[in-house]
Amino acid sequence: MTHLLSSKSLKALGIIISILVFAIAFVLSVSLGQTSISLETVIEAFLDYDQSSTEQIIIRTTRITRAIIATVVGASLALAGALMQALTRNPLASPSIFGINAGALFFIVFAATFFSVSSLGYYMWIAFLGAAIAGVLVYFLGSLGRDGLSPLKIVLAGAAITALFVSFTQGLLVMNQQSLEGILFWLAGSVAGRTMEMLMPILPFMIGAGALAFLLGNHINILLSGEDIAKGLGQRTIFIKILLGIIIVFLAGGSVAVAGSIGFIGLIVPHIVRAFVGNDYRWVIPYSVLVGASLLLISDVVARFIISPQEMPIGVMTALLGTPFFIYLARRGFNKNG
């Protein structure tokens, strides 16, 4: 698909529009829910806080935290997906497909089964560790052999690690079904019930990884031009790939650690972005951050109403959005190869 925004001025205008869409999505996330709150009340909750107002208490204690976490997680997953697709040169690459989520889930279930861990705070750090280990394993397995890292090998490595961790997780849940009841909502992915205390310890790592990704935009463009060309231009390709791998682990691992298994954001957002701005990662990166944050905020709002008065886990919501897109990409790739 040819990109639509060809000039810098149009791309800059697109950034402004993306910021406005994000702002609208953020306000909707704060104001809509089982208790709908007017925009005027939302503004008053920050400028003229009334402790006797139930609506303002909901905003200050629950809604704003939920919106912030959805913003960070959506932006991080989208950016991680964009970087994974650049690193592997595979349009189907994303944290949920390449073993990151599966590794985090396995470590959570393992801790709940053998160490009786039940605290969301502990889940966060355990999930981050599992996601990081899964990412390292996939990268290591994909780099074995004389040819080093290749798109096909890392896809196979991701599929193998995902299958391994999923099978282990299922086995543990069969052994201890009681642990499943305590972590079921986390397994499905959610930003509900999370607190800023859960996000803050890991937020500096995610912000640092995101900032580093912004600085690497031009290096990614050179890497995408081909291994030989990149080396000919003096780029240390191995170093850049390792750096990208570390960034992906922090972004995806941190997101899974805070919000659980939320799939497909990292898959579909980079494709949406590249349809408008092309493959220039100096633009793909900021667009992915804004579109990813907006998409997860909107998904979270819809998840509050789709089975009201109950709430659908946001991971189920993103799967409903992402699965048809994944099938489309897979069929398109198959047809091209065929």
Side-chain angles (χ1 to χ4, degrees):
M1 185 182 295
T2 57
H3 57 87
L4 303 179
L5 304 182
S6 56
S7 68
K8 287 186 178 180
S9 58
L10 283 176
K11 290 175 181 176
L13 177 61
I15 288 288
I16 295 173
I17 294 173
S18 298
I19 292 173
L20 291 175
V21 171
F22 163 70
I24 293 171
F26 192 92
V27 171
L28 290 175
S29 178
V30 174
S31 61
L32 296 180
Q34 290 188 11
T35 301
S36 294
I37 301 172
S38 66
L39 179 59
E40 180 182 359
T41 304
V42 172
I43 296 173
E44 289 177 352
F46 296 98
L47 300 181
D48 186 21
Y49 181 53
D50 181 4
Q51 294 184 350
S52 63
S53 171
T54 303
E55 292 180 338
Q56 293 189 29
I57 292 174
I58 292 173
I59 293 171
R60 293 283 290 264
T61 60
T62 305
R63 294 277 180 87
I64 190 66
T65 298
R66 183 169 181 168
I68 291 172
I69 291 176
T71 297
V72 173
V73 170
S76 297
L77 287 175
L79 181 52
L83 296 179
M84 289 181 76
Q85 290 171 17
L87 179 63
T88 64
R89 298 184 188 178
N90 189 306
L92 299 180
S94 73
S96 59
I97 297 171
F98 274 29
I100 302 294
N101 288 1
L105 295 179
F106 168 70
F107 272 68
I108 284 289
V109 175
F110 183 88
T113 301
F114 292 103
F115 301 101
S116 300
V117 176
S118 59
S119 167
L120 281 176
Y122 287 125
Y123 284 164
M124 181 189 70
W125 288 108
I126 294 168
F128 183 77
L129 175 64
I133 290 175
V136 170
L137 284 174
V138 170
Y139 191 88
F140 174 75
L141 291 176
S143 302
L144 293 177
R146 291 180 298 176
D147 299 330
L149 186 69
S150 69
L152 178 59
K153 285 165 63 178
I154 201 166
V155 168
L156 294 175
I161 292 299
T162 299
L164 181 68
F165 280 132
V166 167
S167 62
F168 284 168
T169 301
Q170 291 174 341
L172 290 177
L173 290 175
V174 169
M175 291 170 53
N176 184 12
Q177 295 186 9
Q178 189 174 8
S179 66
L180 175 62
E181 298 177 2
I183 61 174
L184 185 59
F185 206 71
W186 190 94
L187 291 171
S190 176
V191 293
R194 273 53 173 175
T195 64
M196 290 303 296
E197 288 73 19
M198 292 180 61
L199 177 65
M200 290 309 295
I202 211 166
L203 184 61
F205 297 100
M206 300 172 75
I207 291 177
L212 186 56
F214 272 82
L215 297 176
L216 291 177
N218 196 47
H219 293 280
I220 297 172
N221 289 339
I222 295 173
L223 188 64
L224 288 173
S225 64
E227 193 88 10
D228 294 335
I229 295 176
K231 290 180 179 178
L233 293 173
Q235 185 182 82
R236 293 182 292 173
T237 56
I238 298 298
F239 174 75
I240 296 298
K241 289 178 178 179
I242 292 174
L243 202 56
L244 287 175
I246 293 172
I247 292 171
I248 290 167
V249 167
F250 277 120
L251 291 174
S255 299
V256 174
V258 173
S261 179
I262 298 177
F264 294 102
I265 293 292
L267 173 67
I268 64 178
V269 169
H271 288 277
I272 294 172
V273 168
R274 285 195 294 268
F276 285 92
V277 302
N279 289 317
D280 187 345
Y281 266 72
R282 293 172 298 180
W283 293 101
V284 169
I285 288 172
Y287 268 91
S288 294
V289 168
L290 290 169
V291 175
S294 300
L295 183 58
L296 196 62
L297 283 167
I298 293 170
S299 298
D300 185 40
V301 171
V302 175
R304 301 174 195 179
F305 293 98
I306 197 167
I307 55 172
S308 183
Q310 294 181 321
E311 185 172 313
M312 177 180 289
I314 194 172
V316 176
M317 193 68 225
T318 57
L320 291 175
L321 295 173
T323 299
F325 195 85
F326 178 84
I327 295 172
Y328 163 74
L329 290 175
R331 286 178 59 85
R332 188 178 68 173
F334 178 80
N335 290 334
K336 284 183 178 180
N337 293 331

